[in-house]
């Protein structure tokens, strides 16, 4: 551990802006690289703690000392009290874990700074009220915390209070040979210690027993951290620079840089790196039982958090290690930093049963992620029976071999065109959508191409039924539903086609039927800046020119779709996600869905023209 760097990080609050002018302060906050919704740099901790206690009013907030107390702090009824704390900026740690079954009190310092010893002593005095069972103080292994908690504990003992203490440091990202005298940092693994301590205290165990079991926990936990972005302090920019294509291995929770940097890899590779080090540190072997915490630094998405958790469990089971309890959430953060902690508790055989019981015991701490659902069901789930999707029966008019081949070619070229335009369609979807319109269309195209050889192209009605199911399965969401409707209702029209009817008329009826189906079941109308604003005018051109020269009609349709697509630039969105966007800067381009429709109609038209 780089002690000088840590000391700098721990004392970083001294450089925060102190101007009292509210407008100058607002400018400092909003103009910094890390935007934050705060009122004042000086009051962030007090306001957070106040907000927490307003959301969970049974908690008691002593504002002057930045102390949060459990509802029963005045009378523990002979039960051991449990305390922890540290610098702010790691919310919900530690205040969010106050409640029966976990902490009796938590003390917060300023952002990334240890709480002063006077505040810690105050909390000790509070939880010792009417309490002869004593107090266990859990200390995160940081120099400032060790010093200030130590001072308070000594003063409390001098005053005759019964206090035991346990310092927790389980960071294994820095090799033991390279650690400084300060030792391992205390990270999210401290939650395991808090939960076991709180559960044993609630069961009425003695201070000696609580201390003994929590020491077993502390000796069997290891945590590994990987950061994707750097935190920014309130009123300031990022603590240091981290390139977009790199990750920080061992990123500290106080904004300090990590042990080393690596190129960004996929989730499976990063998890493998983390687990290998944790397993080596704890000497875990196949057949061992563990409990796991996957912690979000604060800036990572829930999607990533779930993906990492899935990888952790999958890879542990592949190694023969049994994760009997798994917890994940935003538990110990580093402000707005993006990253993940994996923390593991090895469950020794001699203590496994009691430790699992403690993890499962109920707690009223508002932010503990463990629930009844954390337990694996006693009976294994019955395997799901996967039913193979049946192919649609061939119904309606059949195509000639030549027409069948042409239709296959049209499908292939339409799919190729959509896949080629993925990035452009995504770009059109940004700002007024969620930037994935091109990707969802690509998924539809991939699904069609994968099934192309087995699709019933000789019978267009059956084909559209199959395409409807592919759209629903591959696209999902609104786009999948709209295309599924388009194909389903168009397919219905095709199934009603009379034998001997001109194929151009049949396709015109199907096209119109698809449009009517979308309008019938959605809120979109012509002129709402959607795919309908290309489908409808192109269909009208087709309908009005059925008796014209074949090539001329197709050419007019192709020209019409691009003209209609361009006209969506001037339309006000009234349906879909874009209807919520009112900033003109995001509505200056063609609608993404309309452009996608123009792309595949154009591709089909070009195939028809080149094969006449």
């Amino acid at each position: 551990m780089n002690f000088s760097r840590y000391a700098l990080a721990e004392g970083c609050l001294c450089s925060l802006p102190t101007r009292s002018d509210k407008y100058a302060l607002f400018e400092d906050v909003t103009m910094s690289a890390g935007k934050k919704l705060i009122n004042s740099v000086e009051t962030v901790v007090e306001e957070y703690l106040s907000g927490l206690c307003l959301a969970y009013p049974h908690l008691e907030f002593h504002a002057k000392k930045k102390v949060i107390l459990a509802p029963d702090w005045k009378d523990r009824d002979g039960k051991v009290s449990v305390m922890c704390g540290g610098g702010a900026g790691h919310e919900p740690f530690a205040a969010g874990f106050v409640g029966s079954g976990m902490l009796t009190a938590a003390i917060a310092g300023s952002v990334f700074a240890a709480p002063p010893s006077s505040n810690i002593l105050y909390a000790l005095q509070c939880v010792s009220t009417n309490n002869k069972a004593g107090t266990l103080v859990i200390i995160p292994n940081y120099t400032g915390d060790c010093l200030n908690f130590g001072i308070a504990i000594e003063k409390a003992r001098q005053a005759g209070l019964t206090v035991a203490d346990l310092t927790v440091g389980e960071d294994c990202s820095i090799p033991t040979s390279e650690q400084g005298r300060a030792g391992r940092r205390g990270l999210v693994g401290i939650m395991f210690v808090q939960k076991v301590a709180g559960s044993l205290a609630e069961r009425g165990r003695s201070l000696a027993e609580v201390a003994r079991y929590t020491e077993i926990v502390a000796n069997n936990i290891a945590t590994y951290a990987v950061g994707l972005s750097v935190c920014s302090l309130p009123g300031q920019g990022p603590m240091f620079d981290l390139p977009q294509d790199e990750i920080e291995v061992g990123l500290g929770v106080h904004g300090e840089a990590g042990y080393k940097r690596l190129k960004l890899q996929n989730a499976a590779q990063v998890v493998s790196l983390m687990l290998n080090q944790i397993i080596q540190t704890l000497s875990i072997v196949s057949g061992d039982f563990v409990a796991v915490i996957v912690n979000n630094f604060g800036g990572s998405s829930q999607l990533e958090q779930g993906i990492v958790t899935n990888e952790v469990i999958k890879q542990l089971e592949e190694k023969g290690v049994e994760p009997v309890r798994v917890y994940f959430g935003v538990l110990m953060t580093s402000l707005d930093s993006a990253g993940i902690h994996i923390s593991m508790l090895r469950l020794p055989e001699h203590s496994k049963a009691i430790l699992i019981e403690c993890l499962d015991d109920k707690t009223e701490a508002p932010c503990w992620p463990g629930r009844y659902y954390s337990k694996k069901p006693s009976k294994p789930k019955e395997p799901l029976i996967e039913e193979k999707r049946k192919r649609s029966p061939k119904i309606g008019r059949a195509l000639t071999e030549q027409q069948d081949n042409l239709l296959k070619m049209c499908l292939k070229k339409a799919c190729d065109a959509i896949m080629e335009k993925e990035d452009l369609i995504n770009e059109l979807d940004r700002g007024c959508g969620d930037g994935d319109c091109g990707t969802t269309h690509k998924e539809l195209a991939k699904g069609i191409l994968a099934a192309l050889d087995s699709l019933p192209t000789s019978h267009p009605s059956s084909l559209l039924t199959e395409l409807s199911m592919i759209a629903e399965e591959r696209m999902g969401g609104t786009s999948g539903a709209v295309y599924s409707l388009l194909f389903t209702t168009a397919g219905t029209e095709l199934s009603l086609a009379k034998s001997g009817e001109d194929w151009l008329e049949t396709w015109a009826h199907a096209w119109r039927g698809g449009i009517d189906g979308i309008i019938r079941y959605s809120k979109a109308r012509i002129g709402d800046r959607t795919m309908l604003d290309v489908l409808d005018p192109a269909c009208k051109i087709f309908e009005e020119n059925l008796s014209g020269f074949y090539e001329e009609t197709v050419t007019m349709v192709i020209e019409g779709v691009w003209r209609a697509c361009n006209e969506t630039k001037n339309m006000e969105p009234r349906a879909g996600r874009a209807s919520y966007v009112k900033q003109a800067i995001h509505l200056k381009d063609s609608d993404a869905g309309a452009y996608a429709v123009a792309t595949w109609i154009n591709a089909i038209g070009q195939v028809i023209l080149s094969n006449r």
Side-chain angles (χ1 to χ4, degrees):
M1 176 183 225
N2 188 321
F3 181 81
S4 61
R5 177 169 30 181
Y6 163 70
L8 176 64
E10 198 174 47
C12 61
L13 197 67
C14 64
S15 62
L16 292 178
T18 56
R19 284 185 288 171
S20 59
D21 181 80
K22 63 180 179 180
Y23 298 107
L25 180 61
F26 181 75
E27 181 180 350
D28 281 345
V29 174
T30 57
M31 294 301 290
S32 68
K35 297 178 184 177
K36 291 177 173 59
L37 284 174
I38 66 173
N39 294 315
S40 164
V41 171
E42 286 82 4
T43 61
V44 288
V45 180
E46 291 87 344
E47 289 184 60
Y48 161 73
L49 294 173
S50 176
L52 178 75
C53 293
L54 288 172
Y56 302 102
H58 289 289
L59 298 177
E60 193 170 314
F61 178 34
H62 292 202
K64 288 185 179 180
K65 298 294 185 178
K66 297 178 186 172
V67 169
I68 300 287
L69 295 164
D72 64 347
W73 69 271
K74 289 182 181 178
D75 187 4
R76 291 284 294 152
D77 193 26
K79 298 174 184 175
V80 169
S81 295
V82 183
M83 272 179 42
C84 191
H90 308 303
E91 292 70 31
F93 177 85
F97 302 99
V98 173
S100 64
M102 277 194 84
L103 299 178
T104 316
I107 315 97
S110 298
V111 176
F112 293 172
S117 62
S118 58
N119 291 2
I120 300 168
L121 180 59
Y122 174 81
L124 268 169
Q125 291 167 335
C126 287
V127 299
S128 298
T129 304
N130 302 320
N131 178 18
K132 295 181 180 179
T135 301
L136 174 67
V137 180
I138 302 169
I139 308 168
N141 189 34
Y142 292 99
T143 304
D145 291 313
C146 291
L147 290 171
N148 285 287
F149 274 90
I151 293 168
I153 289 168
E154 289 304 316
K155 288 183 177 180
R157 286 170 176 162
Q158 288 175 2
L161 302 183
T162 304
V163 182
D165 62 279
L166 177 67
T167 301
V168 180
E170 86 285 7
D171 176 16
C172 68
S173 59
I174 302 172
T176 305
S177 60
E178 298 183 40
Q179 289 174 8
R181 191 171 289 109
R184 294 177 177 173
R185 294 174 288 195
L187 299 175
V188 71
I190 202 170
M191 301 292 178
F192 285 127
V193 179
Q194 292 175 351
K195 183 63 177 68
V196 170
S199 297
L200 291 171
E202 206 59 28
R203 291 176 175 215
R205 297 295 187 94
S206 69
L207 181 58
E209 288 180 289
V210 174
R212 180 167 66 87
Y213 277 108
T214 52
E215 187 172 2
I216 290 172
V217 174
N219 291 335
N220 283 278
I221 51 176
T223 302
Y224 200 99
V226 165
L228 280 73
S229 72
V230 182
C231 73
S232 56
L233 291 162
Q236 294 189 10
M239 299 282 285
F240 57 88
D241 293 326
L242 180 60
Q244 285 293 316
D245 64 342
E246 293 184 358
I247 57 175
E248 193 85 4
V249 173
L251 181 66
V253 291
H254 295 95
E256 70 271 35
Y259 171 65
K260 62 181 177 181
R261 288 183 180 178
L262 298 174
K263 289 296 181 182
L264 180 62
Q265 304 170 60
N266 66 32
Q269 292 168 316
V270 172
V271 168
S272 177
L273 167 76
M274 301 171 80
L275 288 183
N276 286 340
Q277 186 60 44
I278 292 172
I279 287 170
Q280 180 182 340
T281 300
L282 295 176
S283 301
I284 292 173
V285 297
S286 178
D288 279 352
F289 294 83
V290 299
V292 179
I293 292 175
V294 176
N295 174 55
N296 187 333
F297 271 27
S300 295
S301 67
Q302 298 293 297
L303 193 72
E304 295 164 278
Q305 186 176 292
I307 291 168
V308 169
T309 303
N310 179 62
E311 277 298 330
V312 169
I313 305 313
K314 183 173 71 173
Q315 292 187 28
L316 283 176
E317 290 178 343
E318 288 172 354
K319 295 175 185 293
V321 179
E322 177 67 26
V324 295
R325 297 293 181 271
V326 180
Y327 311 99
F328 80 158
V330 183
L331 306 175
M332 178 185 281
T333 62
S334 183
L335 293 173
D336 54 353
S337 178
I340 291 289
H341 284 121
I342 297 175
S343 187
M344 198 175 301
L345 165 62
R346 185 176 70 86
L347 296 164
E349 190 59 38
H350 58 78
S351 307
K352 181 176 67 176
I354 183 64
L355 295 184
I356 292 175
E357 286 178 12
C358 288
L359 292 175
D360 289 345
D361 277 352
K362 181 182 176 181
T363 176
E364 293 179 7
C367 297
W368 172 247
R371 298 291 183 270
Y372 174 78
Y373 289 145
S374 299
K375 302 178 184 179
K376 287 189 176 183
S378 55
K379 293 182 179 180
K381 295 179 181 178
E382 292 295 323
L384 295 174
I385 300 173
E386 295 186 7
E387 295 185 6
K388 292 185 177 179
R389 183 161 60 83
K390 296 179 180 179
R391 289 291 179 189
S392 301
K394 293 181 179 180
I395 59 174
R397 295 180 65 192
L399 298 177
T400 65
E401 185 178 351
Q402 184 180 2
Q403 291 170 331
D404 184 1
N405 290 334
L406 179 62
L407 182 51
K408 280 185 178 177
M409 195 179 303
C410 287
L411 280 174
K412 184 178 186 309
K413 292 298 182 183
C415 291
D416 289 343
I418 282 293
M419 294 173 73
E420 183 181 336
K421 297 291 185 180
E422 177 192 7
D423 292 341
L424 175 56
I425 298 171
N426 278 342
E427 188 59 37
L428 292 173
D429 193 39
R430 290 190 177 94
C432 56
D434 50 7
D436 69 346
C437 185
T439 302
T440 55
H441 277 78
K442 179 183 177 180
E443 284 302 309
L444 172 60
K446 286 168 62 179
I448 294 172
L449 290 175
L452 188 57
D453 291 339
S454 61
L455 289 175
T457 49
S458 62
H459 290 71
S461 178
S462 300
L463 169 67
L464 288 179
T465 300
E466 288 292 317
L467 295 184
S468 170
M469 289 187 280
I470 292 173
E472 189 175 349
E473 292 169 0
R474 297 299 293 256
M475 295 184 84
T478 302
S479 295
V482 170
Y483 271 94
S484 185
L485 265 175
L486 173 67
F487 295 141
T488 298
T489 49
T492 300
E493 288 294 326
L494 281 174
S495 69
L496 300 174
K498 297 176 182 178
S499 178
E501 183 182 52
D502 182 77
W503 266 112
L504 289 181
E505 289 186 15
T506 299
W507 284 113
H509 290 319
W511 194 337
R512 178 55 59 190
I515 293 171
D516 290 344
I518 295 173
I519 292 174
R520 188 180 313 129
Y521 293 103
S522 77
K523 296 180 180 179
R525 297 294 180 267
I526 310 302
D528 284 355
R529 200 176 191 268
T530 69
M531 63 188 287
L532 286 174
D533 296 305
V534 169
L535 280 172
D536 182 68
C539 184
K540 284 180 178 176
I541 294 171
F542 191 66
E543 290 169 328
E544 292 168 0
N545 293 275
L546 294 178
S547 60
F549 291 106
Y550 192 83
E551 291 86 349
E552 191 173 314
T553 299
V554 174
T555 301
M556 291 173 66
V557 169
I558 291 173
E559 292 172 350
V561 295
W562 290 118
R563 185 168 56 249
C565 179
N566 192 56
E567 288 173 358
T568 61
K569 294 179 181 179
N570 305 314
M571 294 179 179
E572 179 184 349
R574 295 190 182 90
R577 287 190 179 94
S579 63
Y580 302 105
V581 178
K582 306 303 178 185
Q583 300 177 56
I585 189 173
H586 299 307
L587 303 171
K588 58 184 176 60
D589 295 317
S590 299
D591 177 71
Y595 189 92
V597 170
T599 298
W600 58 258
I601 290 179
N602 175 78
I604 291 172
Q606 296 297 341
V607 171
I608 292 172
L609 290 177
S610 63
N611 283 271
R612 288 297 292 175

